Amino acid sequence: MPESGGGDRAQRAHIPTTRAGAEAEDRQVPHGDAGALSVDPAAPQVTAPAGLPDPVGLPGPAAKAARRTGLLVTLVLGGLTALPPLSMDMYLPALPAVTDSLSAPAATIQLTLTACLAGMALGQLVVGPMSDRWGRRKPLLLGMVVYVLATAICALAPTAELLIGFRLLQGLAGAAGIVIARAVVRDLYDGVEMARFFSTLMLISGVAPIIAPLIGGQVLRVTDWRGVFVVLTGVGIALTLVVWKWLHETLPPAARHTGGVTDALRTMRGLLADRVFTGYMVAGGLAFAVLFAYIAASPFVVQEIYGASPQTFSLLFGLNSIGLIVVGQINGKLLVGRFRLDKVLGFGLAVIVLAAVALLLMTTGVFGEVGLVPVAAGLFVLMSAMGLAMPNTNAQALMRTKHAAGSASALLGTSSFLIGAIASPLVGIAGEDTAVPMAVVQVVCAVAAVGCFLLLCRPWQRAGREAGGL
């Protein structure tokens, strides 16, 4: 894949191992925006990635084959990205049935969700470095096989304790799909094309949580809760076969790391020492925390406080998800390539802050007693703006780390899950009768995300260097 220049390529192949090194590197060369978004948007940003033919200039049949291959890769990576939310959300309608079937307290059965989420967070730290050392296919296929086995055992689990244990293993294995999908995107694309591809993945991963509970509910109409895990086992088997047959290796042997655990830890330490990478990582994690706070609190806010029915809540939840998806597609199709990524990201974060502040003012009674419609409108704007923030923080961070995309992807995913997991319980700190904690958590996280973006990423410095031709 061509880079923007020889010197830039050399810089991108280096991980600074100290904070001073990261500062020095950032002063020398423009990072992150790939310089790509400061050039003529009409110019080609990237040639065909490894393993994918470039349709530009090819004869008709070859161009069609290239587009089919690109679509296939998109669908495979989209499936890998969608599998974790399917594993979490298809199971939600079955929770009361699991409680009765296993004669366990509801709090114990809730741990099956916590275990799966924790597994997804921690598993990325393991799988990411593995994929940098052994390539993408082997760790991914291993993770998929373990996922299938763990999910099948969940379907047979005789006790709540065994179910919790194998849900943890299911999450650990399912993390392979999340982290390696991002790493493969980094292997194949750069600059504008990578940002656009992340927006496409957001479309797929945004649809999955919407349809997963519906699928789970339909499965429960014909079978019991164990049937949900049987369906997930079948999905895992199908996706494993698709990966084995059609997803080729994207990390050449010459680009792999040869060290062991010590080398992996050194690589991650070097990534974290890169001030700009860490800025994008933390800003993205804080934006994800705003999303987690919404997911955790919205059922109580919309139904218990504002009196909406479950059907109305489902409709609003779906509309907010559609808003996120649509804005994500606007980001990928219209904004990326016409504006610098930092400008789009900064605008998205600013909208999130404004929407969160508006929600805080409404929930604290500054505007008097407001009904559901203004609050729902604020939540819709906040959620839609995530379509500008989330794909662009990932793209900007990964543009700096082609040499260690697996480890970088692991840090991005784990930080988002952990920051979100810390923030989401705080929304219920004052009970279920007030929406103020949700709004406070969202304002604090959104403002902190803007602070990290400005103080650590310092986008104006790179914009100035690019404008000066440095």
Side-chain angles (χ1 to χ4, degrees), residues 217-224:
Q218 294 305 309
V219 171
L220 292 175
R221 290 173 63 92
V222 297
T223 183
D224 61 5

Side-chain angles (χ1 to χ4, degrees), residues 46-49 52-58 62-63 66:
V46 63
T47 58
L52 294 182
D54 190 346
V56 178
L58 293 178

Side-chain angles (χ1 to χ4, degrees), residues 14-22 25 266-267 269-274:
H14 169 65
I15 297 180
T17 55
T18 66
R19 184 171 300 278
E25 183 188 62
R266 186 183 301 113
T267 298
R269 183 180 63 188
L271 290 168
L272 293 174
D274 181 349

Side-chain angles (χ1 to χ4, degrees), residues 5-43:
D8 193 38
R9 186 184 305 112
Q11 289 290 341
R12 292 184 185 207
H14 169 65
I15 297 180
T17 55
T18 66
R19 184 171 300 278
E23 297 280 353
E25 183 188 62
D26 189 50
R27 288 193 297 270
Q28 294 171 8
V29 61
H31 294 291
D33 255 336
L37 303 181
S38 64
V39 300
D40 180 7

Side-chain angles (χ1 to χ4, degrees), residues 304-326:
E304 300 297 329
I305 298 176
Y306 291 98
S309 66
Q311 291 75 25
T312 300
F313 167 72
S314 299
L315 175 63
L316 293 176
F317 191 90
L319 287 175
N320 290 340
S321 300
I322 291 171
L324 187 152
I325 292 168
V326 169

Side-chain angles (χ1 to χ4, degrees), residues 399-424:
M399 282 179 192
R400 302 176 63 83
T401 59
K402 185 174 180 62
H403 50 282
S407 297
S409 178
L411 289 173
L412 289 171
T414 300
S415 64
S416 294
F417 275 101
L418 291 181
I419 295 174
I422 292 170
S424 57

Side-chain angles (χ1 to χ4, degrees), residues 294 298 301-302 306 308 312-313 315-317 319-321 355 358-359 362-363 370-384 438:
Y294 158 77
S298 59
V301 171
V302 174
Y306 291 98
T312 300
F313 167 72
L315 175 63
L316 293 176
F317 191 90
L319 287 175
N320 290 340
S321 300
L359 286 168
M362 285 188 283
T363 56
V370 299
L372 175 61
V373 173
V375 173
L379 290 172
F380 177 81
V381 173
L382 183 145
M383 283 292 292
S384 297
M438 177 194 74

